Amino acid sequence: MKYKWCSEIKQYNYKSKVILANTVNGKWVRISKELADNIEKMICEDISIDQIEFENQNDKVFFHELLNSLSDLEIINDVNKDEVLQNKIASVELTERCNLKCIHCCMNAQNNILSTVDMSYEKMIQVLDKIIDWNPKSMMLSGGEPMLRRDFFALAEYIREKYRGHVILSTNGLLINEKNVELD
């Protein structure tokens, strides 16, 4: 099997180590400079692992497992396989309102706590349906403070029924209480 570097790979050298990082998925690995150089040579010279001579079988097994791990991390790819960049995360701003006035916050939410400018439930469902169709690995519900929406739990229930990915709730946590802490 022949390999190529995945797109969006960055290489960082530090002393005798190399960090190979996929800037799209955030996965990375630290290996020796010698191993990184051997992988680079194999890729540049278009050599398959079967064409490499190893001193012993253990070295061949190790190198093969390393290449499989790098492939799993999406750092290298089989040259015959098309690279598919999966939609990683969608961030959904449920509201601009917030129950805090944090000086460091980039949202101008502090004056909007009583505002009723939130998107209607029906419109929000339309937005969520489009995101669910996009099929990201993760969906982040944010705001302001997303739990300020009166229909927050109805939206969360809708997402749970329709979406199979990972849901992240970006909240300040002040509205989590004994009644709602067990809801998923």
Side-chain angles (χ1 to χ4, degrees):
M1 184 178 306
K2 295 180 181 180
Y3 291 95
K4 63 183 177 183
W5 295 111
C6 291
S7 60
E8 307 300 327
I9 295 301
K10 298 289 183 191
Q11 180 173 321
Y12 304 96
N13 298 306
Y14 181 72
K15 296 183 181 176
S16 64
K17 302 290 182 190
V18 172
I19 296 173
L20 300 169
N22 183 318
T23 60
V24 173
N25 67 17
K27 296 177 183 177
W28 60 275
V29 66
R30 184 180 69 195
I31 60 175
S32 72
K33 177 141 178 45
E34 181 182 4
L35 274 175
D37 290 345
N38 286 331
I39 294 167
E40 178 69 22
K41 180 179 179 182
M42 184 183 79
I43 290 173
C44 288
E45 294 180 9
D46 200 27
I47 299 171
S48 77
I49 189 168
D50 297 325
Q51 295 172 298
I52 301 172
E53 292 185 28
F54 293 91
E55 289 184 25
N56 65 55
Q57 185 63 24
N58 289 340
D59 289 343
K60 183 173 185 171
V61 169
F62 170 79
F63 198 66
H64 194 302
E65 288 174 358
L66 173 66
L67 295 175
N68 285 338
S69 295
L70 293 175
S71 181
D72 291 344
L73 294 171
E74 299 174 21
I75 291 173
I76 62 172
N77 241 347
D78 178 346
V79 294
N80 296 317
K81 179 181 170 189
D82 290 333
E83 187 171 350
V84 177
L85 295 176
Q86 184 177 2
N87 304 323
K88 300 298 179 183
I89 188 167
S91 181
V92 184
E93 182 181 300
L94 297 180
T95 183
E96 290 182 351
R97 296 179 299 128
C98 187
N99 52 341
L100 295 177
K101 296 179 183 178
C102 302
I103 195 167
H104 66 274
C105 185
C106 62
M107 293 294 296
N108 190 12
Q110 64 186 357
N111 297 323
N112 293 330
I113 186 112
L114 300 176
S115 173
T116 57
V117 296
D118 290 343
M119 190 179 294
S120 72
Y121 177 83
E122 292 76 19
K123 280 280 200 196
M124 187 57 69
I125 292 297
Q126 290 175 358
V127 169
L128 291 172
D129 283 341
K130 287 180 182 180
I131 292 170
I132 291 166
D133 286 344
W134 189 56
N135 195 29
K137 276 188 169 181
S138 300
M139 184 186 310
M140 180 171 65
L141 307 178
S142 68
E145 171 50 54
M147 292 181 72
L148 279 174
R149 284 189 65 112
R150 288 189 179 114
D151 57 4
F152 171 77
F153 291 102
L155 290 170
E157 175 76 21
Y158 183 82
I159 293 167
R160 184 175 59 194
E161 288 174 8
K162 302 287 183 178
Y163 176 65
R164 297 294 169 238
H166 182 68
V167 178
I168 303 163
L169 176 59
S170 179
T171 176
N172 61 35
L174 294 177
L175 299 176
I176 297 173
N177 57 41
E178 289 182 18
K179 288 184 197 178
N180 64 28
V181 72
E182 295 294 328
L183 298 175
D184 48 320

